[in-house]
């Protein structure tokens, strides 16, 4: 009887002690706020506090280069590779080993067969951001406030970084989805003039009259929308 009571007590203690660590299957854990965000949350070099923000720096890279709306790893079906879905923290973490990029399947494959078929690829700087995020523990970090500066709105100091992080997986190389290429200044200006500036603005604002919301994975921050709007309205300066 005493032994039976001991077994029950151990089981109870184990269940109770682990209960707070359980995360519902298929859902992301609560984001970890970063008080002092990096100086650039649009994909550029990190300065100051070097904590990488998953939500604004890592997730958009996987979404635009790997899990585009109809892409191979979007979870929407219709293409190969649907057993690997890279559209959320929960799904990305299935192939990430916190603290060890060399042991992370969904990191090592970047640039080695993925993206395939001459699709646009991440820059070395973007790959380094993901590697640093993994080395920092691969947390579901999110930045509050900070780095986005609406006084910066040219292609060089604002638009190009936004496009590189959120758009160039689909619009990085000719002909680009919808014949839109945003990876160089001349191509971006030509593409936006061809489809019309208003159509572009409707898309990034998720307007009710928009034919296609862009980026399809989720709306840009209010600051980023304002930067691109100013860029367009001021004549798309380089």
């Amino acid at each position: 009887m005493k032994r039976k009571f001991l077994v029950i007590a151990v089981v109870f203690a184990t269940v109770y002690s682990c209960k707070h660590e359980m995360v519902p299957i298929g859902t992301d854990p609560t984001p970890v706020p970063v008080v002092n965000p990096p100086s650039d949350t649009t994909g550029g070099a990190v300065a100051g506090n070097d904590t990488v923000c998953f939500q604004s720096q890592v997730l958009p890279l996987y979404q635009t280069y790997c899990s585009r709306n109809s892409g191979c790893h979007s979870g929407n079906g219709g293409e190969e590779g649907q057993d690997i879905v890279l559209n959320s923290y929960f799904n990305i973490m299935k192939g990430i080993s916190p603290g060890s990029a060399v042991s992370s399947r969904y990191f090592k494959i970047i640039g080695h067969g993925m993206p395939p078929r001459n699709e646009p690829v991440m820059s070395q700087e973007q790959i380094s951001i993901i590697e640093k995020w993994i080395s920092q523990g691969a947390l579901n970090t999110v930045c509050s406030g900070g780095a986005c500066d609406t006084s910066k709105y040219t292609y060089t100091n604002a638009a190009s970084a936004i496009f590189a992080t959120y758009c160039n997986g689909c619009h990085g190389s000719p002909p680009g989805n919808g014949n839109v290429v945003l990876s160089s200044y001349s191509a971006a200006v030509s593409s936006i003039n061809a489809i019309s500036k208003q159509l572009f603005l409707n898309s990034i604002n998720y307007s009710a009259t928009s034919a296609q919301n862009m980026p399809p994975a989720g709306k840009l921050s209010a600051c980023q929308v304002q930067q691109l709007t100013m860029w367009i309205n001021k004549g798309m300066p380089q």
Side-chain angles (χ1 to χ4, degrees), residues 135-218:
S135 71
Q136 293 175 345
L139 299 175
N140 186 20
T141 43
V142 60
C143 290
S144 56
C148 188
D149 184 354
T150 55
S151 70
K152 297 179 179 180
Y153 57 84
T154 68
Y155 182 84
T156 301
N157 66 16
S160 62
I162 296 173
F163 293 154
T165 300
Y166 297 90
C167 310
N168 286 352
C170 296
H171 304 289
S173 60
N177 284 20
N179 293 314
V180 174
V181 179
L182 302 172
S183 55
S184 72
Y185 175 72
S186 59
V189 171
S190 177
S191 295
I192 292 171
N193 281 329
I195 64 173
S196 89
K197 296 176 182 178
Q198 191 57 54
L199 180 60
F200 178 84
L201 291 175
N202 287 345
S203 295
I204 65 171
N205 279 282
Y206 279 37
S207 169
T209 60
S210 173
Q212 173 68 62
N213 293 332
M214 298 298 291

Side-chain angles (χ1 to χ4, degrees), residues 3-43:
R3 182 176 180 181
K4 182 177 181 181
F5 175 81
L6 180 61
V7 171
I8 293 173
V10 170
V11 171
F12 176 80
T14 302
V15 172
Y16 183 82
S17 65
C18 296
K19 185 176 182 180
H20 71 283
E21 298 176 353
M22 295 176 66
V23 177
I25 294 176
T27 62
D28 287 352
T30 302
V32 178
V34 177
V35 178
N36 297 310
S39 64
D40 184 354
T41 57
T42 61

Side-chain angles (χ1 to χ4, degrees), residues 42 47 66 105 151 161 189 191 211 225 233 236:
T42 61
C66 308
R105 178 188 176 196
S151 70
V189 171
S191 295
V225 170
N233 291 338
M236 295 187 283

